[in-house]
Amino acid sequence: MIESATISNNLDVYSLRQQFPALDRKVKGKPLVYFDNAATAQKPQVVIETLNQYYTQYNANIHRGIHTLAEEATAAFEATRDTVRQYIHATSREEIIFTRGTTEGINLVASTWGRQNIDKGDEIIISTMEHHSNIVPWQILCQEKEAVLKIIPIHDNGELILEEYEKLISPKTKFVSIVHVSNALGTVNPVKKIINIAHRAGAKVLVDGAQSAVHFDINVEDLDCDFFVLSSHKIYGPTGVGVLYGKKSLLESMPVYQGGGEMIKEVSFKKTIYNDLPYKFEAGTPNIADTVAFKAALDFVQATGKEKIRKHESSLLAHATAKLSEIPGLRIVGTAKDKTSVVSFVMEGIHPQDIGILLDNQGIAVRTGHHCTQPLMDRLGIPGTARVSLAMYNTMEEIDALIPGVHKVKKMLS
Ligand code: PLP
C-alpha cells in the first residue's frame, strides 16, 4: 500500500485505507493502486464482517419464518431498507424496492411502467452519454410499442446541450431517463432542471444514480424525480444488490414485474392478489446477505462523512486532471465544468487497452474501453478511453505514482 499520512480535507485517508483490506495487496509485485472505482468500489472490513456474521449467525430466509434466525434476518434486511430511505431522503420505506442493481431497476421500470403507459408514436428521451443499461431497455420497449427513442446531444466537452433537450420535448414525450453522473466522462448533469422541464410537459423521469449516489447527498424529494436507481457495489457495498426508488403513487399504479413467492398476498388457480409495496416488486428469495451488508456500507459512508469525502475527491480530481494534462500527446476526454471523480483520457497513437495492460504491470488498475457507452464513444469519434476513477481511499501519492506510470507507457509504445 502506498503510505499516505495526509489528512485531506479533514479526512484521515491513511486510517481510512486500513479499513479496506484489498488495498493492502500487491499486484505484479507492486503496491496496488486501485483507480477502477466507477466499475466497482473496494469493500471496507465492516461490510465483509457483516456478510460473515450473517452466514455464521443468522442465515435464514426472511419474512415467512417465525423462528429466531428468520426474525433476525428479516429485521436486518428491513433495516437496510430504512437506511436506504434515509440515505436518499425518500418519504416512505414503501418506495424502496430492492433489485439486483441499477440495470435491473431500469429494466423493471421499462417493463412495468413502460409497458403500461407507452403507446405507438410516444416518445422517450435519453442522452448521448447513457450507459448501455439506460439505452437497451428503452430500445426494447420502443420496438415492442412502436414508440420513438430521442437522444439529447452533447457538446464536445461532454456537457448536455440543454437547448436541444428542450426542443426534443413535445406533447408526445412520455418519459425521460437520464444519467446523473456519466461513468465515462464524469460529467454531472443538471438533473433537477431536466426533471423540471420534463414534468412541465407531463413526462415522468428516471435518474440513473449508479455513479452519483456514492459521491453526492441524494435527495429524491428535492429532485422530484419519479424514479431513482442505484447499485450497492459502487457505494462500497456488495455486488448483486441495488435499489429502485419510485414515487409511491406510481409504484402502486404499476403492474407487477416478476411473479412468485413474496410478491403475493393470496394465490388460487382462479386469481392471485398481489402484495403491498414494496414486496409487490420483490418476487422470490432476495439477496439477503448482500442486502444486509449494504447497510454496513451506507453506515460506513455516512460515518466517514459525505461532505468530507466529496471535498477529498474534488482535490484528487483537480490534481489528477492537472498532472495528466501536462503529459504531451495525452488528451482528457470530458472536460465539463461540473465533473466528479472520473478522468478519461486518450493518448496519441496508443490504443487505450495497451495503456491499461501496461499500467496493470505497474500495479495500477484503470479501466479501458468503451465503458458500456458505445454511442458516446461513437459521438466522440474514439474507440474508447483509459479511465481513472476515484474513491474516498485514493491519495495524492497514488496520482503521483500514476504519472510516471503513464510516461513509461508512452515511452514503451510511441
Ligand atoms: N449506469 C451507469 C452510469 C453505470 O456506471 C453503471 C455501471 O457501471 C450502470 C448503470 C449499471 O450498473 P450495474 O451494472 O450495477 O447494474
Side-chain angles (χ1 to χ4, degrees):
M1 173 163 72
I2 288 186
E3 293 225 343
S4 162
T6 49
I7 307 275
S8 165
N9 297 288
N10 293 323
L11 193 68
D12 183 349
V13 184
Y14 181 66
S15 302
L16 196 62
R17 291 179 66 88
Q18 313 283 319
Q19 299 183 56
F20 289 84
L23 297 179
D24 215 13
R25 65 163 287 181
K26 290 207 158 88
V27 169
K28 313 270 162 73
K30 312 267 171 29
L32 167 67
V33 173
Y34 188 75
F35 282 151
D36 195 17
N37 297 288
T40 200
Q42 295 303 334
K43 317 305 173 201
Q45 190 64 44
V46 64
V47 167
I48 300 160
E49 268 164 23
T50 305
L51 280 172
N52 192 22
Q53 221 172 28
Y54 170 80
Y55 281 122
T56 52
Q57 301 289 318
Y58 56 98
N59 169 47
N61 211 330
I62 54 169
H63 295 141
R64 289 177 294 271
I66 47 129
H67 59 80
T68 301
L69 268 63
E71 281 176 1
E72 286 176 9
T74 302
F77 182 88
E78 290 300 329
T80 303
R81 202 185 306 275
D82 292 324
T83 299
V84 171
R85 186 204 66 70
Q86 173 253 329
Y87 189 86
I88 63 170
H89 301 275
T91 310
S92 151
R93 68 191 316 279
E94 295 159 296
E95 297 176 320
I96 307 300
I97 314 292
F98 287 120
T99 62
R100 281 192 298 124
T102 300
T103 303
E104 191 178 41
I106 299 171
N107 277 279
L108 193 161
V109 174
S111 43
T112 58
W113 190 93
R115 281 223 178 99
Q116 187 181 47
N117 293 286
I118 299 295
D119 293 317
K120 188 173 176 174
D122 284 345
E123 292 176 359
I124 296 169
I125 298 179
I126 60 172
S127 85
T128 306
M129 68 177 84
E130 299 309 318
H131 188 279
H132 294 163
S133 62
N134 199 25
I135 301 174
V136 185
W138 305 114
Q139 281 177 329
I140 295 170
L141 180 67
C142 285
Q143 260 168 22
E144 187 184 313
K145 295 287 187 170
E146 294 181 57
V148 182
L149 195 59
K150 299 240 159 170
I151 315 295
I152 310 170
I154 57 164
H155 293 288
D156 290 342
N157 70 352
E159 285 176 8
L160 293 175
I161 307 177
L162 284 182
E163 310 84 73
E164 294 299 321
Y165 166 56
E166 296 207 49
K167 284 188 210 156
L168 290 179
I169 293 273
S170 82
K172 290 183 188 163
T173 309
K174 290 282 155 57
F175 203 84
V176 177
S177 198
I178 190 79
V179 70
H180 199 172
V181 170
S182 157
N183 62 308
L185 307 177
T187 308
V188 181
N189 287 321
V191 286
K192 198 168 171 178
K193 194 165 175 186
I194 290 167
I195 292 163
N196 193 270
I197 292 168
H199 281 173
R200 274 194 263 132
K204 304 291 181 218
V205 185
L206 179 146
V207 175
D208 172 354
Q211 297 294 338
S212 62
V214 63
H215 300 299
F216 303 137
D217 197 19
I218 302 296
N219 188 326
V220 291
E221 282 285 297
D222 180 55
L223 287 176
D224 196 27
C225 52
D226 299 290
F227 302 100
F228 190 96
V229 285
L230 58 84
S231 297
S232 147
H233 69 99
K234 296 187 196 280
I235 321 177
Y236 309 100
T239 51
V241 181
V243 171
L244 162 67
Y245 156 83
K247 283 183 180 163
K248 193 173 163 191
S249 57
L250 282 174
L251 292 175
E252 275 171 344
S253 72
M254 279 154 52
V256 296
Y257 180 46
Q258 293 180 328
E262 206 65 39
M263 51 75 75
I264 50 88
K265 263 189 186 153
E266 231 179 272
V267 180
S268 75
F269 285 121
K270 278 213 179 92
K271 189 179 173 197
T272 290
I273 300 169
Y274 301 130
N275 210 338
D276 297 326
L277 289 174
Y279 311 109
K280 171 182 163 184
F281 292 108
E282 294 179 358
T285 300
N287 185 346
I288 305 167
D290 293 311
T291 306
V292 167
F294 181 31
K295 180 181 188 323
L298 294 178
D299 289 344
F300 180 86
V301 170
Q302 300 198 101
T304 307
K306 271 200 141 176
E307 189 53 21
K308 276 198 257 177
I309 297 170
R310 201 188 55 72
K311 282 188 179 152
H312 170 59
E313 289 175 345
S314 285
S315 306
L316 291 173
L317 178 65
H319 190 56
T321 305
K323 286 285 171 189
L324 285 166
S325 305
E326 285 169 7
I327 300 176
L330 183 151
R331 179 168 65 86
I332 290 181
V333 180
T335 52
K337 275 186 263 351
D338 200 0
K339 267 188 76 169
T340 189
S341 301
V342 168
V343 193
S344 255
F345 61 92
V346 289
M347 291 171 80
E348 230 171 74
I350 304 176
H351 195 279
Q353 194 153 342
D354 294 331
I355 304 175
I357 293 167
L358 292 177
L359 285 177
D360 185 57
N361 284 341
Q362 303 171 59
I364 303 171
V366 300
R367 176 130 315 219
T368 59
H370 54 62
H371 315 295
C372 293
T373 56
Q374 275 182 329
L376 172 64
M377 296 297 133
D378 288 346
R379 157 65 182 84
L380 297 170
I382 49 177
T385 72
R387 179 186 72 184
V388 170
S389 56
L390 304 159
M392 62 160 94
Y393 43 63
N394 287 126
T395 66
M396 296 293 180
E397 289 81 349
E398 287 182 313
I399 291 166
D400 293 341
L402 168 72
I403 304 306
V406 175
H407 275 294
K408 202 164 160 186
V409 171
K410 204 178 155 202
K411 213 166 140 193
M412 286 173 82
L413 293 180
S414 48

